[in-house]
Amino acid sequence: MYHNKIKVLVVDDSSLFRQTIIQYLSSQPNIEVVGYAINAFDAKKKIPALKPDVVTLDVEMPGLNGIEFLKQLLPTNPIPVILVSSLNLSVFDAMAAGAVDFVRKPDMTANSSKEIFFSSLASKITTASMAKVRIQKQGAAVTAPKQPAAASLPSLSRTVLDSTIIGIGASTGGTEATLAVLKKLPADIPGIVITQHMPEGFTAMYAERLNRICAMEVREARNGDIIHPGLALIAPGAMQMEVIHGKGGYMVQCKTGEKVSGHCPSVDVLFSSIAKNVSIKKVGIIMTGMGRDGADGLLKMKQKGAFTIGQDKESCVVYGMPMVAYNIGAVSVQASCENISSVLMNHLKK
């Protein structure tokens, strides 16, 4: 029996979709739907009275869209918001504006698609109720041009570039946290492999967004891609990604597979493969997210001599994965999201 149910406000302009969400969420023992809003203006009026713990928000709505709504809402009402979005780039602008997480709108004619959507939504609402809301600084651009990395960062030798692989894992809050780290790194950086919990389809768009902003090349990984300096590869949604050693050097293997540690792609799968298959220098970075995915894999990396960084509690949207990793002894050093890039560069320079 849940004594303190999570109070949810559902914001969606589609009457049918709104009712379907309300009906499902109302059946969850830990969730109470305290109301609904038919658009952003309606939501702005209802939030102060209903005081929801979490808001589910349709991104594409007539009048005031989800992004503008978030920019107006969060500075005065820092409430965790879960975006409900179709496959489009605006979800990442809304994440940059302060949303905690997102789910992909289902195909309402396919039962399996609906089931995945609803279980994911309920799970993310639970996580969001414990999340720390980031508020975008006034005047900060949601999207920025490709940036030269900070001039203060030391340049790296060819030996370091060719003899190191960096693994990064993140979940809730990670789309913006990973960007915050990567955009401060130079183009000349050892090969990077990234697992970010994200639905199929969105990983390619996320990679494109990072590629526009960061100095190094960033793209969604394809099976057989060679890992090399100046390139960051993101695990495709709904596929497990491992690092293996092949004829051309170290490469990624991407394949469909079962969930591991509750996820596909899984950070544990990536980190464990680096620990097992990579004999050159290794760095593992575990960032914001619920649960423990990546903690065991990071410990294996550290036991094989890797330098490991965990995001600190203060800068995490959800201090779950990095906390477990730290508690089991998998983290060499903790750092804030803002400082991870300089900790990494200083380590590589040594």
Side-chain angles (χ1 to χ4, degrees), residues 86-88 102 104 116 196-205 220 235-239 256 264-265:
S86 52
L87 186 61
N88 64 55
F102 68 94
R104 183 176 181 174
I116 292 166
Q196 164 71 49
H197 297 159
M198 200 180 283
E200 190 176 0
F202 283 96
T203 39
M205 291 193 304
E220 185 183 57
M239 297 185 92
T256 54
C264 183

Side-chain angles (χ1 to χ4, degrees), residues 201-214:
F202 283 96
T203 39
M205 291 193 304
Y206 178 58
E208 285 165 21
R209 181 170 189 260
L210 266 55
N211 188 54
R212 283 200 308 275
I213 299 170
C214 302

Side-chain angles (χ1 to χ4, degrees), residues 26-69:
S26 299
S27 72
Q28 299 302 296
N30 65 325
I31 293 171
E32 177 190 358
V33 179
V34 292
Y36 67 85
I38 59 172
N39 57 38
F41 299 109
D42 191 24
K44 279 174 78 174
K45 283 189 291 192
K46 289 180 174 173
I47 283 169
L50 295 172
K51 295 185 170 57
D53 300 312
V54 177
V55 172
T56 73
L57 178 68
D58 184 12
V59 179
E60 302 294 330
M61 289 185 295
L64 188 66
N65 70 28
I67 301 158
E68 293 306 317
F69 170 65

Side-chain angles (χ1 to χ4, degrees), residues 65 184 217 219 229 274 306 309:
N65 70 28
K184 289 186 169 183
E217 180 190 357
R219 58 181 163 82
I274 295 172
I309 306 170

Side-chain angles (χ1 to χ4, degrees), residues 1-6 24-32:
M1 183 69 189
Y2 291 86
H3 297 294
N4 295 319
K5 291 189 176 189
I6 302 163
Y24 176 82
L25 293 180
S26 299
S27 72
Q28 299 302 296
N30 65 325
I31 293 171
E32 177 190 358

Side-chain angles (χ1 to χ4, degrees), residues 307-344:
F307 178 69
T308 58
I309 306 170
Q311 188 177 350
D312 69 5
K313 182 178 182 178
E314 290 69 34
S315 66
C316 277
V317 171
V318 179
Y319 186 55
M321 288 158 46
M323 178 187 72
V324 177
Y326 180 78
N327 288 345
I328 65 171
V331 174
S332 308
V333 61
Q334 286 198 104
S336 71
C337 188
E338 288 299 304
N339 289 334
I340 286 173
S341 54
S342 55
V343 170
L344 170 62

Side-chain angles (χ1 to χ4, degrees), residues 146 156 158 160-162 164-168 178 182-183 185-195 207-208 210-212 214-235 241 243 248-254 270 274 280 283 344 348:
K146 213 167 180 62
L156 301 171
R158 193 75 238 168
V160 170
L161 293 174
D162 291 334
T164 312
I165 286 177
I166 300 163
I168 299 175
T178 300
L182 292 189
K183 74 180 182 184
L185 297 174
D188 286 335
I189 192 79
I192 300 174
V193 282
I194 301 165
T195 290
E208 285 165 21
L210 266 55
N211 188 54
R212 283 200 308 275
C214 302
M216 79 287 293
E217 180 190 357
V218 186
R219 58 181 163 82
E220 185 183 57
R222 296 182 297 261
N223 188 46
D225 274 344
I226 303 289
I227 300 164
H228 62 76
L231 174 67
L233 294 169
I234 295 179
M241 182 171 82
V243 175
Y250 289 102
M251 60 180 68
V252 292
Q253 186 175 62
C254 304
L270 177 67
I274 295 172
I280 57 175
V283 177
L344 170 62
L348 294 173

